[in-house]
Amino acid sequence: AVPRWKPLRHAYEKEIVLYAHFEGLDYLSTECVYAPHAYRGHARNLLKDLEATRPSTVAALGHSGRRLTIATEVATKTLGAC
């Protein structure tokens, strides 16, 4: 497997938007109409609250996630037809 290269993974979203603004790059941000009711909004709010308390929280979580490894054999259920 080839690892993905993410040059801006350590940059905050605000910094990326500012970079695009000052470089004159087109930046489009739209929200899905279903997003306000999605569960990920709760997780995002939790992350924003944690980041307000400690600004390096998101970077620390990303670092921890990259250090996790997955076993070569993972037990999964067979998916059925809907």
Side-chain angles (χ1 to χ4, degrees), residues 38-64:
Y39 182 76
R40 63 186 263 175
H42 300 291
R44 177 179 290 146
N45 290 336
L46 173 64
L47 283 175
K48 294 293 181 187
D49 292 343
L50 291 172
E51 191 175 25
T53 305
R54 182 176 165 223
S56 62
T57 300
V58 175
L61 285 171
H63 179 69
S64 298

Side-chain angles (χ1 to χ4, degrees), residues 10-52:
H10 296 295
Y12 291 104
E13 184 178 0
K14 292 177 184 178
E15 293 173 350
I16 295 170
V17 172
L18 284 174
Y19 175 79
H21 174 73
F22 287 119
E23 291 294 321
L25 302 173
D26 291 333
Y27 179 79
L28 178 65
S29 176
T30 59
E31 185 177 25
C32 174
V33 295
Y34 301 109
H37 304 293
Y39 182 76
R40 63 186 263 175
H42 300 291
R44 177 179 290 146
N45 290 336
L46 173 64
L47 283 175
K48 294 293 181 187
D49 292 343
L50 291 172
E51 191 175 25

